[in-house]
Amino acid sequence: MQSTMTVLTVRDLRISFGKTLALPAVRDISFEIGENETLAVVGESGSGKSITALSIMRLLSKRVARVSGEILFNGQDLLKLTDREMRAVRGNDIAMIFQEPMTSLNPVLTAGHQIVETLRCHRDLDYAAAKAEAIALLDQVRIPEARSRFDYYPHQMSGGMRQRVMIALALSCNPSLLIADEPTTALDVTIQAQILNLVRRLQREIGMSILFVTHNLGVVAEIAHEVAVMYAGRVVEQAPVEALFERPKHPYTLGLIACIPDVRRDIAADGSRQPLHPIPGIVPPITHLPPGCPFAPRCPYIEDACTARVPDLVVADSAHLSRCRRHEIL
């Protein structure tokens, strides 16, 4: 932990869908994020990462999803707030950046106008003061010629610049917690590195906590203090970032790390390329989870006991949790 103060605590989070709201997509999720700390939630598509983030923002419709457990933000349970009380928190104290900014930005409003709207909605500013603040925010996220680009529409901007506008929007009210849902996936590696550097710099300057959702372990190594690995709706491993990469304690994490291209590992001494080792199979749908450990059908360490019951999340090492009954041999 980077601090003694906890900003967000999630306890026994369970999210169910379906006509009877009885189909669990996420279960037994518990974690904490400290002040100025970044927790990365990582896993393949279908692991439950994004709906976990959306549940914290209370953006899942009650008609199609049932959320239970506790989501404590600065000691206040967000699940017990009224819709009006949650609107005051959302965007003001907790902000979110989504994967594709073109689906979040209004295409018929300029970037600057959208930031001004956010500022005037949450802060008592007149238009002139809000515009000056918006230009300062665009400058803060390193958009060149911020004053002129205030009047740009989203389609006039590159993907990286649009994502910077989204970050400016998210930071406009100085949130205590920033939730970033795959914010660099649609960007090339150069722009991705710039966005990650920007987020780290802004965290230092503003002092916010971050929940960073991604499928990319390379990004995790760059930005996280703590990592929670999700599979089939559950956390299967959680550890400080250095421990996770040095001593992974779940076969799924081992597989994810093996999928990261590595020149030192993948090119032999004679210059020949070694094959990558992808994880076989796919994440099972929540409607057809296998018996016992959901990763068992894809696991190279499977034994009969693995299919008998879902393993508990246990302490595998100092500050290191694993949901694998064979974690000691890894």
Side-chain angles (χ1 to χ4, degrees), residues 12 26 36 62 153 170 230 238 241 295 298 301 304:
D12 302 321
V26 164
N36 302 327
K62 294 179 181 178
Y153 289 90
M230 287 189 68
Q238 186 169 338
V241 64
F295 187 65
R298 307 173 71 186
Y301 302 97
D304 290 343

Side-chain angles (χ1 to χ4, degrees), residues 101-102 104-119 127 130-131 134-135 138 143 146-157 161-162 165-166 168-169:
M102 280 300 280
S104 303
L105 294 172
N106 191 325
V108 300
L109 296 176
T110 65
H113 182 80
Q114 293 181 61
I115 299 174
V116 166
E117 273 193 334
T118 302
L119 287 166
Y127 181 83
K131 180 177 180 178
I135 292 171
L138 292 175
I143 289 183
R147 186 171 296 276
S148 62
R149 293 218 161 88
F150 175 92
D151 294 317
Y152 275 33
Y153 289 90
H155 72 271
Q156 295 176 296
M157 296 179 162
M161 199 174 294
R162 287 194 293 265
V165 172
M166 285 300 302
L169 273 165

Side-chain angles (χ1 to χ4, degrees), residues 6-10 56 70-79 81 86 89 92-95 175-178 209:
T6 300
V7 174
L8 181 72
T9 300
V10 175
I56 294 170
E70 290 183 314
I71 302 174
L72 303 175
F73 175 67
N74 290 331
Q76 185 178 41
D77 192 347
L78 300 181
L79 296 181
L81 299 184
M86 189 62 205
V89 173
N92 195 29
D93 299 312
I94 306 176
S176 300
L177 174 65
L178 175 67
S209 303

Side-chain angles (χ1 to χ4, degrees), residues 133-193:
E133 181 71 15
I135 292 171
L137 283 164
L138 292 175
D139 185 63
Q140 186 179 20
V141 297
R142 302 288 173 84
I143 289 183
E145 301 177 12
R147 186 171 296 276
S148 62
R149 293 218 161 88
F150 175 92
D151 294 317
Y152 275 33
Y153 289 90
H155 72 271
Q156 295 176 296
M157 296 179 162
S158 67
M161 199 174 294
R162 287 194 293 265
Q163 197 59 281
R164 289 169 187 267
V165 172
M166 285 300 302
I167 294 172
L169 273 165
L171 300 181
S172 59
C173 295
N174 296 318
S176 300
L177 174 65
L178 175 67
I179 300 175
D181 185 8
E182 303 268 15
T184 61
T185 299
L187 306 175
D188 66 60
V189 292
T190 302
I191 304 302
Q192 176 178 284

Side-chain angles (χ1 to χ4, degrees), residues 15-260:
I15 306 171
S16 301
F17 292 92
K19 291 183 179 179
T20 61
L21 299 178
L23 194 61
V26 164
R27 44 188 142 184
D28 306 326
I29 302 294
S30 297
F31 57 77
E32 293 184 351
I33 305 178
E35 192 176 37
N36 302 327
E37 184 183 38
T38 298
L39 170 70
V41 179
V42 65
E44 294 169 276
S45 296
S47 296
K49 311 181 302 296
S50 291
I51 61 171
T52 298
L54 290 171
S55 70
I56 294 170
M57 290 292 283
R58 290 265 303 268
L59 291 176
L60 296 175
S61 171
K62 294 179 181 178
R63 294 192 298 272
V64 298
R66 175 182 294 153
V67 181
S68 61
E70 290 183 314
I71 302 174
L72 303 175
F73 175 67
N74 290 331
Q76 185 178 41
D77 192 347
L78 300 181
L79 296 181
K80 294 181 179 179
L81 299 184
T82 65
D83 290 344
R84 182 175 182 179
E85 289 171 335
M86 189 62 205
R87 281 196 297 271
V89 173
R90 191 187 298 124
N92 195 29
D93 299 312
I94 306 176
M96 188 165 182
I97 306 170
F98 296 93
Q99 177 175 342
E100 177 45 65
M102 280 300 280
T103 63
S104 303
L105 294 172
N106 191 325
V108 300
L109 296 176
T110 65
H113 182 80
Q114 293 181 61
I115 299 174
V116 166
E117 273 193 334
T118 302
L119 287 166
R120 299 194 72 188
C121 177
H122 291 285
R123 294 164 59 179
D124 187 20
L125 298 175
D126 60 25
Y127 181 83
K131 180 177 180 178
E133 181 71 15
I135 292 171
L137 283 164
L138 292 175
D139 185 63
Q140 186 179 20
V141 297
R142 302 288 173 84
I143 289 183
E145 301 177 12
R147 186 171 296 276
S148 62
R149 293 218 161 88
F150 175 92
D151 294 317
Y152 275 33
Y153 289 90
H155 72 271
Q156 295 176 296
M157 296 179 162
S158 67
M161 199 174 294
R162 287 194 293 265
Q163 197 59 281
R164 289 169 187 267
V165 172
M166 285 300 302
I167 294 172
L169 273 165
L171 300 181
S172 59
C173 295
N174 296 318
S176 300
L177 174 65
L178 175 67
I179 300 175
D181 185 8
E182 303 268 15
T184 61
T185 299
L187 306 175
D188 66 60
V189 292
T190 302
I191 304 302
Q192 176 178 284
Q194 293 176 4
I195 295 298
L196 291 177
N197 288 335
L198 172 63
V199 171
R200 284 197 299 266
R201 178 176 64 82
L202 293 173
Q203 183 180 40
R204 290 194 302 269
E205 293 176 357
I206 298 172
M208 62 186 173
S209 303
I210 300 174
L211 175 64
F212 200 98
V213 176
T214 182
H215 67 274
N216 188 334
L217 274 177
V219 169
V220 169
E222 289 286 325
I223 200 165
H225 300 108
E226 184 94 2
V227 187
V229 181
M230 287 189 68
Y231 186 81
R234 285 186 168 96
V235 171
V236 296
E237 183 168 6
Q238 186 169 338
V241 64
E242 296 86 357
L244 187 97
F245 281 94
E246 292 174 4
R247 303 180 302 278
K249 292 293 183 180
H250 195 281
Y252 181 55
T253 309
L254 282 170
L256 292 177
I257 293 174
C259 291
I260 302 173

